[in-house]
Short mmCIF file of all heavy atoms in Angstrom, two decimals:
data_model
loop_
_atom_site.label_atom_id
_atom_site.label_comp_id
_atom_site.label_asym_id
_atom_site.label_seq_id
_atom_site.Cartn_x
_atom_site.Cartn_y
_atom_site.Cartn_z
N MET X 198 68.51 17.09 35.37
CA MET X 198 68.87 15.93 34.58
C MET X 198 67.62 15.28 34.02
O MET X 198 66.62 15.15 34.71
CB MET X 198 69.64 14.94 35.45
CG MET X 198 70.05 13.72 34.67
SD MET X 198 70.91 12.50 35.65
CE MET X 198 69.60 11.91 36.67
N ARG X 199 67.68 14.88 32.80
CA ARG X 199 66.55 14.19 32.18
C ARG X 199 66.51 12.75 32.66
O ARG X 199 67.53 12.12 32.90
CB ARG X 199 66.70 14.23 30.67
CG ARG X 199 66.50 15.61 30.12
CD ARG X 199 66.60 15.61 28.61
NE ARG X 199 67.51 16.69 28.30
CZ ARG X 199 68.48 16.65 27.42
NH1 ARG X 199 68.68 15.59 26.71
NH2 ARG X 199 69.27 17.66 27.22
N ASP X 200 65.31 12.22 32.79
CA ASP X 200 65.13 10.86 33.29
C ASP X 200 65.75 9.80 32.39
O ASP X 200 66.14 8.75 32.86
CB ASP X 200 63.63 10.55 33.45
CG ASP X 200 63.01 11.35 34.57
OD1 ASP X 200 63.72 11.70 35.53
OD2 ASP X 200 61.81 11.64 34.49
N PHE X 205 76.64 7.02 35.22
CA PHE X 205 77.82 6.16 35.33
C PHE X 205 78.55 6.44 36.63
O PHE X 205 78.58 7.57 37.11
CB PHE X 205 78.80 6.42 34.17
CG PHE X 205 78.29 5.96 32.84
CD1 PHE X 205 77.55 6.82 32.04
CD2 PHE X 205 78.53 4.68 32.40
CE1 PHE X 205 77.08 6.42 30.81
CE2 PHE X 205 78.07 4.26 31.16
CZ PHE X 205 77.33 5.13 30.37
N THR X 206 79.13 5.42 37.18
CA THR X 206 80.05 5.56 38.31
C THR X 206 81.43 5.19 37.79
O THR X 206 81.63 4.09 37.27
CB THR X 206 79.65 4.62 39.46
OG1 THR X 206 78.32 4.95 39.86
CG2 THR X 206 80.60 4.74 40.62
N ALA X 211 93.34 10.06 42.53
CA ALA X 211 93.32 11.51 42.66
C ALA X 211 94.09 12.21 41.53
O ALA X 211 93.64 13.24 41.02
CB ALA X 211 93.89 11.92 44.02
N MET X 212 95.22 11.66 41.13
CA MET X 212 96.00 12.27 40.06
C MET X 212 95.22 12.27 38.75
O MET X 212 95.15 13.29 38.06
CB MET X 212 97.34 11.57 39.87
CG MET X 212 98.18 12.23 38.78
SD MET X 212 99.75 11.42 38.49
CE MET X 212 100.60 11.85 40.00
N LEU X 217 91.74 15.03 34.68
CA LEU X 217 90.44 15.13 34.03
C LEU X 217 89.83 16.51 34.25
O LEU X 217 89.38 17.16 33.30
CB LEU X 217 89.51 14.04 34.56
CG LEU X 217 88.11 14.02 33.98
CD1 LEU X 217 88.12 13.43 32.58
CD2 LEU X 217 87.19 13.22 34.88
N GLY X 220 91.59 19.23 32.24
CA GLY X 220 91.17 19.21 30.83
C GLY X 220 89.82 19.86 30.63
O GLY X 220 89.62 20.64 29.68
N ARG X 222 88.43 22.09 32.59
CA ARG X 222 88.59 23.54 32.85
C ARG X 222 89.15 24.26 31.62
O ARG X 222 88.73 25.37 31.29
CB ARG X 222 89.50 23.76 34.05
CG ARG X 222 88.83 23.47 35.36
CD ARG X 222 89.72 23.84 36.54
NE ARG X 222 89.09 23.47 37.77
CZ ARG X 222 89.46 22.43 38.54
NH1 ARG X 222 90.49 21.68 38.19
NH2 ARG X 222 88.80 22.15 39.64
N ILE X 223 90.09 23.63 30.95
CA ILE X 223 90.68 24.22 29.74
C ILE X 223 89.62 24.37 28.66
O ILE X 223 89.55 25.39 27.97
CB ILE X 223 91.88 23.39 29.25
CG1 ILE X 223 93.05 23.57 30.23
CG2 ILE X 223 92.28 23.75 27.82
CD1 ILE X 223 94.17 22.58 30.03
N SER X 227 88.27 27.87 27.05
CA SER X 227 88.33 28.09 25.61
C SER X 227 86.98 28.59 25.08
O SER X 227 86.92 29.52 24.26
CB SER X 227 88.74 26.80 24.90
OG SER X 227 88.81 27.00 23.51
N ALA X 232 83.47 33.14 23.33
CA ALA X 232 82.32 34.04 23.48
C ALA X 232 82.79 35.49 23.60
O ALA X 232 82.23 36.39 22.95
CB ALA X 232 81.49 33.65 24.70
N ILE X 235 83.94 36.74 20.18
CA ILE X 235 82.82 37.01 19.28
C ILE X 235 82.13 38.31 19.66
O ILE X 235 81.78 39.11 18.79
CB ILE X 235 81.83 35.82 19.28
CG1 ILE X 235 82.48 34.60 18.63
CG2 ILE X 235 80.54 36.20 18.56
CD1 ILE X 235 81.69 33.31 18.79
N GLU X 236 81.97 38.54 20.95
CA GLU X 236 81.29 39.75 21.41
C GLU X 236 82.12 41.02 21.22
O GLU X 236 81.59 42.06 20.86
CB GLU X 236 80.89 39.60 22.88
CG GLU X 236 79.78 38.59 23.09
CD GLU X 236 79.50 38.30 24.55
OE1 GLU X 236 80.33 38.63 25.41
OE2 GLU X 236 78.42 37.76 24.82
N TYR X 239 88.02 41.16 20.11
CA TYR X 239 89.37 41.32 20.64
C TYR X 239 89.79 40.08 21.44
O TYR X 239 89.00 39.55 22.21
CB TYR X 239 89.43 42.55 21.56
CG TYR X 239 90.75 42.73 22.24
CD1 TYR X 239 91.84 43.24 21.56
CD2 TYR X 239 90.91 42.37 23.57
CE1 TYR X 239 93.07 43.39 22.19
CE2 TYR X 239 92.13 42.52 24.21
CZ TYR X 239 93.20 43.03 23.51
OH TYR X 239 94.41 43.16 24.13
N ASP X 241 93.20 38.95 23.88
CA ASP X 241 94.40 39.51 24.48
C ASP X 241 95.67 38.74 24.14
O ASP X 241 96.75 39.27 24.24
CB ASP X 241 94.25 39.67 25.99
CG ASP X 241 93.92 38.37 26.69
OD1 ASP X 241 93.80 37.32 26.02
OD2 ASP X 241 93.77 38.40 27.92
N PHE X 244 94.88 32.39 20.87
CA PHE X 244 94.08 31.25 21.28
C PHE X 244 93.34 30.73 20.06
O PHE X 244 93.23 31.43 19.05
CB PHE X 244 93.10 31.63 22.41
CG PHE X 244 91.84 32.30 21.95
CD1 PHE X 244 90.65 31.58 21.89
CD2 PHE X 244 91.82 33.63 21.58
CE1 PHE X 244 89.48 32.20 21.46
CE2 PHE X 244 90.67 34.25 21.16
CZ PHE X 244 89.49 33.53 21.10
N GLU X 247 86.86 28.57 19.13
CA GLU X 247 86.01 27.40 18.90
C GLU X 247 84.99 27.72 17.81
O GLU X 247 84.63 28.87 17.60
CB GLU X 247 85.29 27.01 20.19
CG GLU X 247 86.20 26.67 21.34
CD GLU X 247 87.01 25.40 21.14
OE1 GLU X 247 86.68 24.58 20.26
OE2 GLU X 247 88.00 25.22 21.87
N ALA X 259 80.29 26.60 27.45
CA ALA X 259 81.16 26.86 28.60
C ALA X 259 80.43 26.56 29.90
O ALA X 259 80.99 25.93 30.80
CB ALA X 259 81.65 28.31 28.57
N GLU X 274 84.17 16.50 47.37
CA GLU X 274 83.96 16.97 48.74
C GLU X 274 83.11 15.99 49.54
O GLU X 274 83.40 15.73 50.73
CB GLU X 274 83.31 18.36 48.73
CG GLU X 274 84.24 19.45 48.30
CD GLU X 274 85.51 19.52 49.13
OE1 GLU X 274 85.43 19.48 50.39
OE2 GLU X 274 86.60 19.61 48.53
N GLN X 276 83.14 12.94 49.34
CA GLN X 276 83.97 11.77 49.65
C GLN X 276 85.18 12.14 50.49
O GLN X 276 86.14 11.37 50.60
CB GLN X 276 84.40 11.09 48.35
CG GLN X 276 83.23 10.52 47.57
CD GLN X 276 83.65 9.90 46.27
OE1 GLN X 276 84.60 9.11 46.22
NE2 GLN X 276 82.97 10.24 45.19
#
Side-chain angles (χ1 to χ4, degrees):
M198 180 181 70
R199 290 182 229 137
D200 292 331
F205 291 89
T206 301
M212 182 181 290
L217 179 76
R222 285 186 184 106
I223 289 167
S227 180
I235 292 170
E236 290 173 343
Y239 175 77
D241 57 0
F244 82 103
E247 300 293 343
E274 288 304 313
Q276 296 178 48

